[in-house]
Amino acid sequence: MTRRDLTHFRLIKTVLHRRGPQFALTALALGGFVLAIVSGLAGTPVGSRNFGIVAVWIAWWAVLMLVAVPLFGRGWCSICPIPAPGDWLQRGALLQPATRGLGLGRRWPRATRNMWLQNAAFAVLALFSVVILTQPIVTAVVLLALLFLAVGASLIFERRAFCRYLCPVGGFVGLYSQLAPVELRVKDRAVCAADRQKSCYTGNAAGCGCPWLVYPGALEKNTYCGLCLECLRTCPHDNIAVNWRSVGADLLQPRGRRLDEAFKALIMLGSAIVYAAVMLGPWGTLKSAAYNIGSGTWLIYALGFLAFVFVVLPGAFLFTVHAGRKLARSAVPLRRAFVHFAYALIPLGLAAWVAFTLSFVFANLSYVWPVLSDPMGWGWDLVGTAGDSWTPYLTQVVPALQTGVLLGGLLWSGVTVRRIALEGRSQHPVFPLTLPVMAFCLVITLGLLGLLVG
Amino acid sequence: MQTSVIGRIALFGLPALVVLLAPTPSGSAEPSERIIRIEASSFAYKPALIAVAQGDHITIELVATDVVHGLHVDGYDLSVTADPGQTQRLTFVADRQGTFRIRCSVPCGPLHPFMIGKLKVGTNWLLWRAVALALLAAMAGVVGFRQ
């Protein structure tokens, strides 16, 4: 597996070391974030004419799912505006390393040092997503709630507890960042082992200790590295690398696979299926049910959604894994096999979200131009684009792109299923073990193809 | 090792190429005149799924029953808008095979971006090719595309 340390390039190293460029991008994102909240609260209630809806759920979502996550993993987290104010308060500084900041600095409760709260937070947002995505004021309230939650977490707990344990977006970004061709790792673990200060974790005059509560010397996966680059600044031995690497390298790392992350993979895959059916399907009744919060039909939809992503899909996957074990006469415990094989669903899950996003974004991207001129929907025409009419883009190409992405995801998942099965080849034959899991991936792909291009 | 890779490419790549490049049969039935009435209301089209044959001369009669609605046909890039209670017509020849989304082209309320229907013209060969390729991809995964 080849890796190329991007910090060997002087320009890249300089840009990454300095706080200015990262701060500028975070400040820009924060400006957009605040404008999204203001326009949501005070602007037009027409979603397609409101900056909050268009900037967040079309522009930002497109950048996140089509560029940032596939190419840079947690690259977005490094400039995310949501934790920034709390982070600055906690550190008592904007650009400098930590001084005398605010906050109690408590440790996050041990029982929830995992992804389950993020799984629950995502599911809650997903339940209300049709309203959040279409009502500017609801989007504004959700963004405000996330901001208060992040600030509160920064003032009570140490470091970036919100990002690590609560953020509903950070959970799936972390999961899919395992596929990214970019990683932050140490160059030589022996150097870390010999170093007594562990400045990357404790901090020093050059920067903070890892805000994500990760010791870089032991980092093996992208999942919980927020690419904040503090360790790049604090390491006294210049032992931190930002590598360009093979895509999906983390999936082949058997250590550290966990049930909460396995469920995250299933929840995200299930949510992509439900979103494709509700938002991009032709069923008006389903859309109404998802929209009319509090009604009897919404309750049925909500229960159906939760049952599908938490019970039906994981149950079906558990059954296929069990069938594979039986066919292969494998002695690997069912829970262990379930957790390990669930990581093979990560490529297919990302492909499902990219395919969903392609359709949703290209159909609605032209709403961006009018809101640049008139973010509040008050009749302004700041840059002369207020009158631009809605035009769906690439409608002849998008179905083929979606098909290619889904097939690529299936192939990648298939290869990963086999690689994971090969990890225990001394204990079982590989072919029968993988057969049911591949059948599961195939059925999911065919279902998504039917929903998105059928 | 090299022979093995070439063998796998031959095993899965060649059938995949055949699936991708195989010509699609065009519809053999005589084109007909089709008039399809579509009611648009409450963020949904009725009927939401329309199936026609390739080459048919289609006239869509769009009736908006609550607020102003539009209808845009993806792939054909044709649009029509109807005021409440009025009928507007969109006439075209369904000469492109496949399944195409129809979308509301006029902001009509909160669920406007999700007001979607489908126009199916002949056989959706993209879907069938995709199904065949998915089977090949799954087999490649099981048999082992890479070591």
Side-chain angles (χ1 to χ4, degrees):
Chain A
M1 191 180 301
T2 55
R3 286 181 160 82
R4 185 163 181 80
D5 182 5
L6 299 176
T7 62
H8 279 157
F9 298 99
R10 185 178 294 273
L11 178 65
I12 293 177
K13 186 172 185 176
T14 304
V15 169
L16 295 181
H17 254 279
R18 291 186 177 168
R19 293 174 187 280
Q22 190 179 13
F23 177 80
L25 288 172
T26 305
L28 188 69
L30 186 60
F33 187 77
V34 170
L35 183 57
I37 292 173
V38 171
S39 63
L41 294 174
T44 173
V46 179
S48 55
R49 292 286 171 187
N50 187 292
F51 179 86
I53 293 288
V54 175
V56 175
W57 302 122
I58 298 174
W60 169 75
W61 184 257
V63 170
L64 183 75
M65 295 312 290
L66 301 182
V67 182
V69 172
L71 291 182
F72 304 107
R74 276 200 187 267
W76 168 258
C77 297
S78 68
I79 59 160
C80 179
I82 297 175
D87 202 31
W88 296 333
L89 285 171
Q90 192 187 62
R91 285 165 39 198
L94 289 177
L95 273 170
Q96 295 77 23
T99 54
R100 289 176 63 86
L102 298 172
L104 304 174
R106 291 189 179 161
R107 302 200 71 192
W108 187 260
R110 183 176 292 274
T112 52
R113 286 180 201 164
N114 48 50
M115 215 181 250
W116 287 113
L117 284 177
Q118 289 175 312
N119 288 346
F122 179 84
V124 169
L125 281 189
L127 275 183
F128 300 97
S129 58
V130 174
V131 176
I132 296 170
L133 265 61
T134 55
Q135 297 276 11
I137 194 163
V138 182
T139 281
V141 169
V142 169
L143 297 183
L144 266 176
L146 291 174
L147 186 63
F148 280 120
L149 208 56
V151 171
S154 290
L155 294 179
I156 297 170
F157 298 102
E158 61 175 340
R159 312 196 191 194
R160 284 199 181 185
F162 171 82
C163 304
R164 179 70 196 262
Y165 300 116
L166 288 174
C167 180
V169 176
F172 73 78
V173 171
L175 184 83
Y176 292 139
S177 71
Q178 296 180 69
L179 305 176
V182 172
E183 66 176 15
L184 183 146
R185 298 288 188 275
V186 296
K187 294 174 186 170
D188 183 354
R189 289 197 175 198
V191 173
C192 299
D195 179 70
R196 293 193 170 189
Q197 298 298 323
K198 311 292 185 208
S199 308
C200 55
Y201 193 78
T202 57
N204 59 19
C208 306
C210 178
W212 287 72
L213 297 151
V214 171
Y215 170 53
L219 198 59
E220 290 184 325
K221 294 184 178 189
N222 283 353
T223 315
Y224 302 107
C225 170
L227 291 178
C228 64
L229 305 172
E230 286 299 321
C231 54
L232 195 70
R233 295 162 188 141
T234 54
C235 179
H237 310 291
D238 191 22
N239 195 37
I240 300 291
V242 178
N243 294 320
W244 188 260
R245 65 172 193 181
S246 305
V247 293
D250 292 352
L251 295 182
L252 307 180
Q253 172 58 264
R255 280 192 299 275
R257 290 184 185 141
R258 297 166 17 178
L259 186 64
D260 54 337
E261 294 177 11
F263 255 84
K264 172 57 88 182
L266 284 155
I267 290 167
M268 293 310 298
L269 189 58
S271 299
I273 295 168
V274 174
Y275 274 34
V278 173
M279 296 183 195
L280 303 180
W283 303 287
T285 312
L286 195 54
K287 296 177 207 295
S288 296
Y291 182 74
N292 293 311
I293 291 170
S295 67
T297 53
W298 179 82
L299 197 61
I300 294 168
Y301 162 78
L303 291 173
F305 172 82
L306 292 175
F308 182 69
V309 299
F310 281 104
V311 181
V312 175
L313 203 62
F317 188 66
L318 184 72
F319 176 77
T320 59
V321 171
H322 176 66
R325 284 172 65 250
K326 285 286 179 193
L327 281 175
R329 300 175 190 275
S330 170
V332 175
L334 180 58
R335 177 187 162 119
R336 178 181 159 85
F338 174 86
V339 168
H340 281 244
F341 279 119
Y343 282 74
L345 302 178
I346 295 174
L348 185 57
L350 180 61
W353 280 99
V354 169
F356 165 80
T357 303
L358 282 170
S359 176
F360 178 68
V361 164
F362 282 109
N364 297 297
L365 193 60
S366 59
Y367 286 127
V368 170
W369 320 130
V371 301
L372 288 177
S373 272
D374 188 14
M376 311 294 283
W378 288 346
W380 300 347
D381 194 3
L382 299 175
V383 290
T385 55
D388 286 12
S389 58
W390 172 75
T391 310
Y393 297 133
L394 302 175
T395 61
Q396 298 186 13
V397 181
V398 164
L401 288 176
Q402 291 174 299
T403 303
V405 167
L406 286 172
L407 292 175
L410 174 64
L411 187 60
W412 194 351
S413 281
V415 170
T416 310
V417 168
R418 185 172 165 79
R419 298 287 286 264
I420 289 171
L422 282 168
E423 289 166 8
R425 59 184 173 274
S426 60
Q427 300 170 54
H428 47 236
V430 169
F431 180 75
L433 188 68
T434 57
L435 205 56
V437 181
M438 264 322 294
F440 178 88
C441 293
L442 178 64
V443 168
I444 295 290
T445 306
L446 294 179
L448 283 162
L449 282 168
L451 286 169
L452 293 169
V453 299
Chain B
M1 179 66 184
Q2 198 172 3
T3 313
S4 174
V5 171
I6 292 168
R8 287 194 184 94
I9 290 171
L11 188 61
F12 300 111
L14 292 180
L17 268 180
V18 169
V19 171
L20 275 173
L21 301 177
T24 53
S26 55
S28 54
E30 283 292 307
S32 61
E33 295 283 340
R34 297 283 306 275
I35 298 174
I36 300 159
R37 179 185 163 90
I38 299 179
E39 284 189 17
S41 70
S42 302
F43 317 112
Y45 295 107
K46 287 180 190 169
L49 301 166
I50 306 158
V52 300
Q54 187 182 15
D56 280 358
H57 292 247
I58 311 294
T59 298
I60 289 177
E61 293 182 345
L62 179 67
V63 187
T65 58
D66 49 6
V67 296
V68 181
H69 287 289
L71 186 150
H72 176 274
V73 187
D74 278 7
Y76 286 82
D77 286 335
L78 299 167
S79 295
V80 65
T81 303
D83 288 330
Q86 292 191 341
T87 301
Q88 291 294 329
R89 289 176 180 79
L90 177 69
T91 301
F92 61 99
V93 177
D95 52 0
R96 294 174 60 93
Q97 273 193 330
T99 300
F100 306 92
R101 262 57 185 171
I102 54 179
R103 312 172 185 276
C104 185
S105 53
V106 181
C108 58
L111 293 186
H112 158 70
F114 308 129
M115 185 168 173
I116 290 172
K118 287 185 190 179
L119 169 69
K120 187 172 172 237
V121 180
T123 305
N124 185 355
W125 286 109
L126 175 65
L127 180 65
W128 288 112
R129 285 181 208 268
V131 168
L133 289 171
L135 286 167
L136 280 171
M139 283 194 284
V142 171
V143 176
F145 189 69
R146 293 170 53 188
Q147 284 294 340

